[in-house]
Amino acid sequence: MFLKNFFFIVSLLPATATLALEQNSAFPFTIRQIEENSVANYSFLNHKPAGKYGFLRNKEGDFTFENGQKIRFFGINLVDDRVVEMNDSQTEKLAKKMAALGINMVRLHHISAKWQRAKPLFSQPEKSTLIFNDEALERIDYLLYKLKENGIYVTTEIVDSALMPLSSEMPRQEALKNGNVLKILMMIDPEVKEYCRKWAKNFFCRPNRYTGIPLISDPQLALLGIVNELSMGYHNGALRNLSEYHQNKLKSSFADYLKKNHLPERDFDLNLVDPVSARFWNEQLHAAFIDWMAFLRSIGYRGLISGSNFGENFFHHEPSTLCDFMDAHIYWGYASWSENKCRMVDGQWSDLIKYPWNENNYTKELFARYSTAAFSGKPLIASEHRTANGGGGMSRFADAMRYSEYRAAGLPFFATVQAFQGWDGFYIFGSQGIGGIKEEKMGHLLDVRFDTTYLATFPLASFLLRGNVIAPARKKILVTLEPGDIYARPQEPSFLYDGLFYYPEQHKIEIGYPQAKIDRSRYDEVLPLSKLKKMNINRQETVIEADTGEFLRNYDEGFFMINSAEVQGVEGFFHKTKRHPLKDLTLEVNSNFALCFVASREKTIAQSDRLLFLVAADCGNQDDGKGRQAKGWVLPGKGPVLVHPVIGRISLRAGLFDVWILGEHGERKRKAAEGISEFEFDTGRDTTIWYELERVRK
């Protein structure tokens, strides 16, 4: 659908190496409940209630409802106290706010994890993990009810990713070193499977007390995963962490596999470096995924099922191709060794400006990694996505996940390439909100109440992904694999070839696995991976441009540009080029970093009557000091969140506009200018991040 009003977003962030804000220049602004008639409210993107069009199907690689309507998902992970500790009023406000931000999917995650600070999901966790706390279930039921009412779908995996059963509930429970081992054992151990099936029936098959429908039977549960982050070889749940009992069982099964396939005897390699061991384990997962899909159907689930959602190489994704859709977890920026491949800005960096080539050890070229899960004919989502690029060396996961001055960057970029590729959605991780429910501060990674800069990009990202404003790629390329591409070095990412890095931002790319039935006539080019390995990219070229001409990335200057009829703007760094002429407007940016976009709704930019002009700078808690040096997930300091002021200019070639200053609810506060085509904004002067520009009609 095309949208009715302009949306313009500018987010300017200072190139600073510390989290502390200059208290004398920053001002408070919190994105609160957005008024229904505000130009900042994007809830119209959602159809209501969720599930009204029936269950999802896969139609030629797209999520499609029973009535034929297609959908993409812009979602968020709700974690910990976001799920079970909100009262009715908080739940209602949260659901409405998420819809206003363009969110139409929630992934429930870590709701039974003991290491979280959530209210226990179980009534007596020391006695049973199969009997749930009725109060917690009531909170979950009400959350689902309010999400459904606001057009928001839900998803999760069969069992919580950190579930730890008791010894009385599962034989050899002592073998579980951590929740990740449970993920492996539910694939291969009949007794663990039986426990997980009991857990799933107890959780999914009871009627919701507000809708009267069990979640397993409700089309609101649009997607369901079998297992979270089952990475083979190097994740926390690796086979080498299994107990001696389970290792011996695997070795015995492997010996039978060798005999059956007339292969020479050899020891089973728990690290899966040995290609024969890797192939054997892959076949174990094939059988497990088929078994789990049959179980979900047997208890009444009619939606779409994915396998697992972790891993950055073909070996990790291949078993999931048996399922209904593909899923991958894609994070930006937390490996210290990439720093010499990126332009540094006062100790910080952004993947927006990262040179797109092989980093040898672990590439973070986002779209190359994500493309490895783009299996021909299957929808593709990222159930965890994060612009995490934190400060310093970023060699520690927690440091990278905590905060970044440039955290507002990336979502419009990612959403644009998603739409261009025809991918089907991504969910931002995460919203834990520890300490954030009662206080107006950012809390954990993302708080949908108070994180002004990051939330500023949500409606635009959702619009880019879901609003049919980015044309699909013209050229389609199929990259074909051979068995050796998958199993030869299964622990190494299989895509570390410069040729692949440029394609996702230029043409549509999909992966073809060996023996898969693929209609090659659908593709303009079929490219064997062996040929891709030999390609040499000319690194003197500093611009990657889509074959539609609607967007490009200049990784030398460090910016990303969109120039379509409905969305125009630039995000990134402006050290070299500050002035950007576009089809219907010109942007002039005087800061080092910014996000600047204009978007129309039902009409083009040249025809639309109203414009939301959003200008948001870096934000942080008051008195936060050097936030990244603190331990744990919660940023120090106190609320309300402070935002740096922004000064700049937008020139429109599409008529004259009146300018309104908007408040924290998106409401009109006062008029700033009348009948202008050029506006010099100063958010510190106007204490806002939102302006509405209303076209003057003669």
Side-chain angles (χ1 to χ4, degrees), residues 665-694:
H665 296 275
E667 79 284 7
R668 289 181 175 183
K669 290 172 59 178
R670 63 182 184 276
K671 187 177 285 189
E674 293 186 359
I676 56 92
S677 62
E678 187 171 278
F679 180 60
E680 295 185 359
F681 50 89
D682 183 341
T683 62
R685 174 196 66 205
D686 299 324
T687 61
T688 189
I689 63 167
W690 283 335
Y691 301 91
E692 179 183 343
L693 306 187
E694 184 179 27

Side-chain angles (χ1 to χ4, degrees), residues 119 158 191 204 271 304 345 385 414 453 557 568 607:
K119 182 180 296 184
I158 290 176
E191 295 170 325
F204 289 103
N271 292 314
L304 297 182
V345 183
H385 170 73
F414 191 40
T453 53
E557 295 195 21
Q568 296 169 28
Q607 298 170 320

Side-chain angles (χ1 to χ4, degrees), residues 13-16 343-346 348-350 353 406 556-559 570-580 589-594:
L13 306 180
T16 171
R343 171 152 39 116
M344 305 299 293
V345 183
D346 289 345
Q348 298 289 316
W349 60 271
S350 168
I353 61 173
Y406 305 127
D556 179 54
E557 295 195 21
F559 65 81
V570 184
E571 71 174 15
F573 294 85
F574 297 86
H575 299 82
K576 296 182 179 180
T577 303
K578 295 182 178 295
R579 188 172 183 271
H580 292 271
V589 183
N590 295 319
S591 298
N592 287 336
F593 179 80

